[in-house]
Amino acid sequence: MSKARVSIARRRNRLTIEQLAETATPLGGATLGWQNVATLWGAIEMTGGRETEEGGQAIGPRTGRVTLPFREGIDARHRFRLGTRILEITAVFDPDGNRRQIVCLVREVTP
């Protein structure tokens, strides 16, 4: 996906945008959890990955990009959920500056 606009037909993934939120507990404390912000249609393109070893286990983080219609307020504090898949946002930009779409660079993580 270059700077050209992504067609609506390619935005076939229904993604939920989540943000980290603090919730009060009955004992006066707080817990952190992910809260749904919005659900949008977007195009996902996984662009790479590599296998590394972490804690004695082979892991292979995958990276990619998600293209959405332009929306204010999405940044690296958010993440996407697609079924059981979780995509952490690492960067967000407007590729042509015309506020028509945004591209989010993502890293897939396991829940």
Side-chain angles (χ1 to χ4, degrees):
M1 282 185 240
S2 63
K3 289 187 177 186
R5 289 185 68 180
V6 173
S7 71
I8 290 174
R10 292 199 49 207
R11 294 181 189 160
R12 61 179 158 264
N13 300 103
R14 194 152 171 84
L15 301 160
T16 301
I17 301 171
E18 299 178 332
Q19 71 181 7
L20 199 55
E22 193 173 279
T23 305
T25 63
L27 299 175
T31 59
L32 289 176
W34 291 94
Q35 178 181 44
N36 293 351
V37 174
T39 302
L40 305 167
W41 290 97
I44 299 175
E45 178 186 13
M46 297 312 284
T47 57
R50 68 184 197 298
E51 190 170 297
T52 60
E53 189 171 313
E54 188 174 296
Q57 293 183 333
I59 59 168
R62 294 176 47 185
T63 58
R65 73 185 90 202
V66 174
T67 304
L68 306 164
F70 187 84
R71 181 182 176 97
E72 291 281 348
I74 298 176
D75 57 34
R77 294 174 293 185
H78 295 89
R79 71 180 189 181
F80 295 109
R81 180 177 294 273
L82 177 64
T84 59
R85 293 174 68 188
I86 296 173
L87 305 170
E88 290 182 340
I89 299 173
T90 58
V92 179
F93 59 94
D94 179 356
D96 59 9
N98 289 331
R99 300 172 62 97
R100 292 183 293 198
Q101 66 182 6
I102 58 170
V103 175
C104 302
L105 301 181
V106 297
R107 182 175 73 92
E108 186 168 2
V109 297
T110 54

